[in-house]
Amino acid sequence: MADEWRRKTYYSKRVLIDTSRVLDPQYPDSLLCITGPQLEMLRNLTQYLHRRSTFASAYTDQHYLSPTNEEWDTLQATVAELEETLMGCTDITTALNNIAAQVACLCAASRQARQYTPTTQDIVNHYVTEGDARYDDPYPQETVVDEERCAVAQLVHRGAYEWLTEVIQPAQDMATDFLVPMVIAVIALWCGPAVFNIPTGTLLAAIWRSIEVWETGELENVVNTLVSIKEEVICAVYEGLLVDAQTAASNASDVIYAQDLAMGDKICLSLLCGSWMVAAAAAAWDEQTAWATTNVTPGYCEICAQVAWPYYRSYYWPPCPGTWTGGFPCSSRTLPGINEDEDGFSPEFELLSIVEDVIITIECDWYSSEAIAWTVGYITLQYWHTGDTEWKNIWSFDATNTATPGNLCTDEQTSPPQTIPYNLLRWKIGGQAGQSAVDPYPFEPEKILLTIVQDV
């Protein structure tokens, strides 16, 4: 029989899932809240979903039929999506936190009347449409090179302080018409000619919410608190920038939320130390503006605990090619287009120290033109030694598709214990031999996360 290989014997302790009910679900999408123990059980139970015998596509009295190859590909893509979901839906939690912050600020601001004039909307529209501001936050995962982390961390704190004392404090009775241009002017002073799109949501929240929330006495307390926690905020941002701007902003928020402030003050102060402020600080330092160089003290971050392990590094596309080299083309998704002919190389970065027997973990999200379970590319960690003539490989991540063509693939792989003999590193991305498709390409990476820990 053609379906002989699909025939499975019933087993009393086996739980069967009806294939048709997964491919044609009977329930709408739901938002669930589960506990840590429940999440632990669910993550382990997904292992059974990788067994074809778990699913039944047809039943007889003596046996059942497991899924066809086509059904199996679709099921495994769904399982991959489930496993990704169980790792935590950061987009939803971030959105909920942002909504909560806006609601909290709105509730506090409702005590005072907004000072709008008939020209307010025209002014806001001008700054939105002219590219000085946009609705979406383009800096959720902004990265900062190691040697600039300390400078950027100092400028984040200074930027928040000046926003409080030079924009918000003297402007509590001003109309929005005057505030929007003033805010644009302040950030232009910080960043110079650098191209910097202020996220509209953040801009308007900072103006319309925080100014109205803080009364004169409350604001003075917030300013004094920010001054008193300067070292903590700078070190929190400095450490978080080992990963990205979002982590740096989260670290700063943790410090702020530990202070004796009203909840509205904590929310709005955290907003001023957010990822958009990291981007502003990074742009200012890249341009070496007078404001940036004046407010950075060389060696300041020596007061911070130097966190060597675990070591984190991240990269996100777009933009493409971004800071990567190699000459690879960019796909219509504005992601690197990698096939057998293309390689890409990240900027160089350094470990803080060298230790034998480290464990390397690489997590990657990518799109592919090829089928599920096909290996389409590699991410190789390389090192450089001044005595060598070329970069040497340490360990590679195999990008084996976890989803059907056109859908987002995600995977995480961990190395056996490795020795990294020198601490100047970079990533290399490359394609699988024999795969020459273009746009969509076999391998279009969107995110790479690196973690290195000691094997203890």
Side-chain angles (χ1 to χ4, degrees):
M1 291 177 59
D3 290 336
E4 184 68 28
W5 63 273
R6 295 174 55 204
R7 180 179 294 185
K8 306 294 181 184
T9 303
Y10 291 115
Y11 173 51
S12 61
K13 299 185 182 299
R14 177 178 290 154
V15 176
L16 295 179
I17 299 176
D18 194 321
T19 300
S20 63
R21 290 178 64 87
V22 178
L23 301 181
D24 182 20
Q26 308 300 303
Y27 302 107
D29 294 347
S30 299
L31 184 63
L32 303 177
C33 293
I34 58 177
T35 65
Q38 293 167 348
L39 184 61
E40 179 66 27
M41 289 188 288
L42 287 175
R43 285 178 178 171
N44 283 280
L45 288 174
T46 58
Q47 298 304 310
Y48 289 98
L49 302 179
H50 291 290
R51 301 177 184 178
R52 198 185 289 252
S53 59
T54 299
F55 298 90
S57 295
Y59 300 88
T60 70
D61 292 339
Q62 302 301 322
H63 65 271
Y64 66 96
L65 297 181
S66 63
T68 64
N69 285 333
E70 182 179 3
E71 290 174 333
W72 183 242
D73 286 346
T74 304
L75 288 169
Q76 287 306 285
T78 302
V79 172
E81 292 174 357
L82 172 61
E83 290 176 322
E84 181 180 6
T85 299
L86 291 175
M87 294 307 294
C89 190
T90 56
D91 289 343
I92 290 179
T93 55
T94 298
L96 290 175
N97 287 334
N98 289 341
I99 291 170
Q102 295 297 324
V103 169
C105 283
L106 279 170
C107 289
S110 65
R111 302 193 305 265
Q112 303 176 23
R114 293 208 167 108
Q115 297 181 338
Y116 298 157
T117 76
T119 62
T120 296
Q121 190 58 54
D122 289 339
I123 289 177
V124 172
N125 288 342
H126 167 78
Y127 284 105
V128 173
T129 57
E130 292 300 313
D132 292 325
R134 25 189 271 196
Y135 177 75
D136 58 312
D137 185 347
Y139 305 105
Q141 292 106 9
E142 183 84 356
T143 55
V144 174
V145 297
D146 283 350
E147 58 268 25
E148 297 180 3
R149 286 191 298 124
C150 185
V152 171
Q154 293 178 69
L155 294 177
V156 167
H157 181 273
R158 184 66 189 180
Y161 175 81
E162 291 191 8
W163 188 287
L164 286 175
T165 58
E166 297 182 16
V167 177
I168 296 177
Q169 199 166 45
Q172 292 197 43
D173 295 327
M174 285 187 179
T176 306
D177 300 23
F178 298 100
L179 291 174
V180 174
M182 186 167 66
V183 168
I184 297 295
V186 167
I187 298 181
L189 175 66
W190 292 350
C191 302
V195 177
F196 173 53
N197 292 326
I198 306 167
T200 304
T202 302
L203 174 67
L204 299 185
I207 295 174
W208 289 344
R209 312 290 191 264
S210 58
I211 290 177
E212 294 169 344
V213 168
W214 284 320
E215 298 174 354
T216 305
E218 295 173 337
L219 183 55
E220 183 177 353
N221 184 38
V222 173
V223 172
N224 291 337
T225 299
L226 184 61
V227 171
S228 69
I229 59 174
K230 176 181 177 180
E231 290 184 7
E232 293 178 72
V233 169
I234 290 176
C235 289
V237 173
Y238 176 68
E239 179 181 338
L241 288 177
L242 277 172
V243 184
D244 52 34
Q246 196 171 39
T247 303
S250 177
N251 285 0
S253 180
D254 289 342
V255 172
I256 292 165
Y257 270 71
Q259 307 309 308
D260 185 19
L261 294 171
M263 182 56 67
D265 294 341
K266 294 178 181 179
I267 292 170
C268 294
L269 186 55
S270 294
L271 179 67
L272 297 186
C273 294
S275 55
W276 73 277
M277 183 66 82
V278 175
W285 187 248
D286 286 342
E287 290 295 321
Q288 289 291 280
T289 64
W291 176 81
T293 56
T294 301
N295 290 296
V296 168
T297 301
Y300 184 91
C301 295
E302 292 179 4
I303 64 173
C304 306
Q306 300 300 301
V307 180
W309 308 106
Y311 179 84
Y312 300 101
R313 197 77 186 179
S314 64
Y315 201 88
Y316 298 78
W317 291 275
C320 178
T323 56
W324 285 56
T325 59
F328 55 81
C330 297
S331 72
S332 56
R333 291 190 178 93
T334 62
L335 303 177
I338 306 297
N339 56 27
E340 64 178 351
D341 298 321
E342 310 296 345
D343 290 326
F345 305 97
S346 76
E348 301 168 4
F349 52 95
E350 291 187 57
L351 285 178
L352 298 179
S353 64
I354 294 298
V355 179
E356 294 184 356
D357 294 332
V358 295
I359 304 296
I360 303 167
T361 298
I362 292 179
E363 179 184 344
C364 182
D365 290 351
W366 72 96
Y367 290 92
S368 177
S369 61
E370 307 301 329
I372 193 171
W374 284 33
T375 298
V376 294
Y378 302 91
I379 302 169
T380 302
L381 187 64
Q382 299 183 313
Y383 74 86
W384 175 263
H385 177 233
T386 53
D388 294 333
T389 58
E390 60 183 17
W391 287 81
K392 301 292 182 65
N393 294 342
I394 299 172
W395 179 74
S396 291
F397 168 101
D398 298 342
T400 300
N401 289 344
T402 60
T404 51
N407 292 309
L408 185 66
C409 300
T410 184
D411 193 17
E412 178 182 293
Q413 296 173 18
T414 299
S415 76
Q418 301 286 323
T419 295
I420 302 178
Y422 299 98
N423 67 337
L424 185 60
L425 307 177
R426 74 175 184 184
W427 282 313
K428 172 185 176 181
I429 51 175
Q432 173 76 310
Q435 296 180 352
S436 57
V438 295
D439 209 12
Y441 290 83
F443 185 35
E444 297 183 23
E446 181 182 69
K447 175 186 78 174
I448 300 175
L449 300 179
L450 168 71
T451 305
I452 303 177
V453 299
Q454 293 176 279
D455 183 25
V456 294

